[in-house]
Amino acid sequence: MWRPRRVIVTHAARGFDHGRAIMARAAAAGIEVLELAGDRLGLDRLGLVPADDPARAYREAKATLAVVVAPPSKRRLQPIAPSADWRVDLAEGCPAHCSYCYLAGSLKGPPITRAYANLDEILDGLPAYLGQGTITSRDAARVTEGTTFEASCYTDPLGIEPLTGSLSAAIAWFGRWNADAQLRFTTKFADVEPLLALDHGGRTRMRASINPRAFARFEGGTAPVADRLAAIARMARAGYPIGLTIAPIIAAPGWETAYGALIDDTAAALAALPALDLTIELITHRFTTGSRAVLDSWYPGSALDMTGANRVTKRTKFGTEKQVYDADTMRTLRRFFEDRLTAALPAARILYWT
């Protein structure tokens, strides 16, 4: 269980049952709960860190859970290719310490994890998006998934679940929703016990985000990969569809041996599951100039390679640039993963490569 040093609750968040429930869980766990008179966050304003000490600001932010209200702009859903039709945020920020963190440069200010108190408003807005997606619900290969809602774009919802309860509430909500829709989340954590007995209706797919031991060292504060694999096996036995997110795929020396062993370990962990409903998503390592600068400040001295070796610049649809592996490296990686996964996990469906 992630145990932050403090839980900060805004005035508006205390007006929601879900916000007050998070406060109660934190208090029961012996965590300090700070109730703000207003709705503005700021560790420096609260006297928790000096404004001119970014390293300490990072540490204190990572030890803080803020309970806030998602404004209407956050509740207007956006497509999230290639994963799902729509991104639905239960929270923003993550308690893990991954030195390749995809949130670096995306979220403003110190990386405080923010859980949304108005969860009912967020979920009650989802039916308006049913059948409106273009990513999966209109893809012939994935149309059986229905309209898909991705809950782990800006957070790891399982990592904060013991305090928030948001993921359990969302799974139960989708289980009651008699619609052709699916909730999706991916995680580097493994405490699935609270989810196993939920009436999920088969409408939530849990995916484990995995990497070989050689590269999982870049994933500080997360569950061991073996535990993550055991967790998705438990979820499958509880009737959930499951998946693997192999990410980020890192083309460092020895990657073939490392990922080959990971695939073999995964096949062994899932071998005893009958009628396996398993998907796989393959995501190579990439970064932007801005995210690299943030990550260098958060994790100085990290051994993760973010140089220009084997890289090319790719412009995104938003006009920004990111560094991705060059075409030869990408072809070699893709051929390896598709061949090894097809052989080791023939029942699995590879959803995409990026």
Side-chain angles (χ1 to χ4, degrees), residues 74-148:
K74 292 288 187 182
R75 304 199 305 271
R76 288 194 290 271
L77 305 191
Q78 300 297 320
I80 182 65
S83 172
D85 287 319
W86 303 107
R87 184 188 105 204
V88 54
D89 295 330
L90 312 180
E92 283 192 358
C94 175
H97 299 270
C98 299
S99 53
Y100 53 74
C101 179
Y102 290 130
L103 298 182
S106 298
L107 302 179
K108 296 179 180 178
I112 298 174
T113 298
R114 295 165 169 83
Y116 293 137
N118 54 333
L119 180 63
D120 289 343
E121 286 187 343
I122 294 169
L123 296 175
D124 288 345
L126 301 188
Y129 294 86
L130 189 66
Q132 302 302 308
T134 61
I135 309 303
T136 66
S137 57
R138 297 184 189 177
D139 181 341
R142 298 183 62 183
V143 70
T144 56
E145 298 174 47
T147 304
T148 49

Side-chain angles (χ1 to χ4, degrees), residues 6-14 34-49 60-61 64-71 74 92-93 107-117:
R6 66 193 68 86
V7 173
I8 301 174
V9 189
T10 65
H11 179 268
R14 297 197 294 276
L34 303 177
E35 300 183 29
L36 300 184
D39 296 327
R40 291 184 60 194
L41 298 177
L43 295 180
D44 54 338
R45 293 175 56 250
L46 295 171
L48 297 174
V49 296
E60 295 295 342
T64 301
L65 173 68
V67 187
V68 302
V69 174
K74 292 288 187 182
E92 283 192 358
L107 302 179
K108 296 179 180 178
I112 298 174
T113 298
R114 295 165 169 83
Y116 293 137

Side-chain angles (χ1 to χ4, degrees), residues 102-280:
Y102 290 130
L103 298 182
S106 298
L107 302 179
K108 296 179 180 178
I112 298 174
T113 298
R114 295 165 169 83
Y116 293 137
N118 54 333
L119 180 63
D120 289 343
E121 286 187 343
I122 294 169
L123 296 175
D124 288 345
L126 301 188
Y129 294 86
L130 189 66
Q132 302 302 308
T134 61
I135 309 303
T136 66
S137 57
R138 297 184 189 177
D139 181 341
R142 298 183 62 183
V143 70
T144 56
E145 298 174 47
T147 304
T148 49
F149 297 85
E150 177 62 67
S152 50
C153 294
Y154 274 31
T155 190
D156 187 317
L158 188 60
I160 59 177
E161 176 66 7
L163 287 175
T164 69
S166 299
L167 181 58
S168 293
I171 291 172
W173 190 92
F174 270 81
R176 295 189 300 270
W177 190 16
N178 186 21
D180 188 15
Q182 182 187 101
L183 178 68
R184 294 162 48 81
F185 73 96
T186 189
T187 182
K188 293 182 175 68
F189 292 86
D191 183 10
V192 296
E193 188 65 33
L195 313 182
L196 297 176
L198 295 176
D199 187 5
H200 56 81
R203 295 193 183 97
T204 294
R205 184 180 297 273
M206 172 189 171
R207 298 108 73 210
S209 178
I210 58 174
N211 244 319
R213 185 176 295 114
F215 305 141
R217 63 193 173 101
F218 298 125
E219 301 172 352
T222 64
V225 173
D227 291 356
R228 303 178 210 173
L229 293 174
I232 61 167
R234 294 182 72 195
M235 292 286 277
R237 286 191 286 271
Y240 285 87
I242 60 170
L244 302 170
T245 306
I246 304 181
I249 295 169
I250 300 171
W255 67 263
E256 298 100 323
T257 300
Y259 282 105
L262 175 69
I263 292 169
D264 291 343
D265 290 345
T266 301
L270 304 180
L273 296 174
L276 187 62
D277 184 348
L278 176 68
T279 61
I280 301 175

